[in-house]
Amino acid sequence: GDIIELVDSGGLYTTSSTDKMAITKSLTIRAQEGLQQKPIIRMIKADATSARHFEIRSGGKLTLIGLDLDGRKEDGGSNFVKTFVRMDTDDSTKVDLFVYNCLMHNSKEQAIKGYYKTVIDTVVISNCIIHDITKEGILLYESSGNGPAVHYAEIENCTIYNTGREAIKSDGNN
């Protein structure tokens, strides 16, 4: 798959033309090795009503390494982004998510969400810090009973704090 490498230490990378980046292929977004500070990713589209950084769709695979996913439009601003990564398919095609050494903070809903009826082959979250999330930190559950089907999930060495609900919520079928 393709690789986007962010090279500015503490640099600000913004998206303003869409309310989400749809991932339908294999994509890695990573910080260049050796940076002193994580590159910051922000959504700043003023009229976005369902803002999220990434939406993994049918067949998509997303890998994030060494990033600061900031849910605010500006420093000191209020939470703006609903979810940093949403896995959302309308068929049985599997999706994958790998997140390593990332900071995720200030989201209006969840940091990571597996959406209604999505088939998730693999989700790995490792060495991450997730905080100041209005609802759940990681949500792999849907109250309708039609939640995501998760084949393999691994969450290790992560710190999740200051969430409005559960740090991690998963359905019993996962």
Side-chain angles (χ1 to χ4, degrees), residues 11-152:
L12 180 61
Y13 297 84
T14 63
T15 55
S16 60
S17 62
T18 182
D19 63 352
K20 64 188 148 290
M21 184 184 304
I23 309 298
T24 59
K25 307 281 186 208
S26 179
L27 176 65
T28 297
I29 303 174
R30 67 183 184 203
Q32 182 181 50
E33 284 191 41
L35 295 180
Q36 294 293 320
Q37 296 179 314
K38 292 176 178 7
I40 302 163
I41 297 179
R42 276 199 192 134
M43 159 70 65
I44 60 169
K45 187 175 193 295
D47 62 346
T49 57
S50 187
R52 51 192 161 272
H53 288 304
F54 306 102
E55 183 170 282
I56 307 173
R57 296 187 181 160
S58 296
K61 174 183 175 184
L62 179 63
T63 302
L64 303 172
I65 304 169
L67 306 175
D68 177 346
L69 301 176
D70 187 344
R72 305 168 298 176
K73 283 195 278 188
E74 60 193 13
D75 285 337
S78 61
N79 295 4
F80 174 67
V81 169
K82 283 178 72 172
T83 305
F84 297 111
V85 179
R86 181 166 116 170
M87 295 166 277
D88 187 356
T89 61
D90 55 5
D91 59 25
S92 61
T93 306
K94 297 174 185 172
V95 299
D96 295 298
L97 173 65
F98 301 89
V99 184
Y100 304 104
N101 192 31
C102 286
L103 175 62
M104 293 176 265
H105 58 98
N106 297 98
S107 143
K108 286 185 359 184
E109 291 190 4
Q110 299 85 17
I112 296 169
K113 179 178 183 174
Y115 195 63
Y116 176 81
K117 293 187 178 181
T118 297
V119 179
I120 302 167
D121 186 54
T122 303
V123 59
V124 174
I125 316 295
S126 180
N127 297 316
C128 292
I129 298 173
I130 299 170
H131 67 88
D132 294 310
I133 308 297
T134 304
K135 293 184 179 179
E136 301 85 5
I138 298 170
L139 180 64
L140 302 173
Y141 170 85
E142 232 3 273
S143 61
S144 66
N146 292 312
V150 181
H151 295 234
Y152 179 80

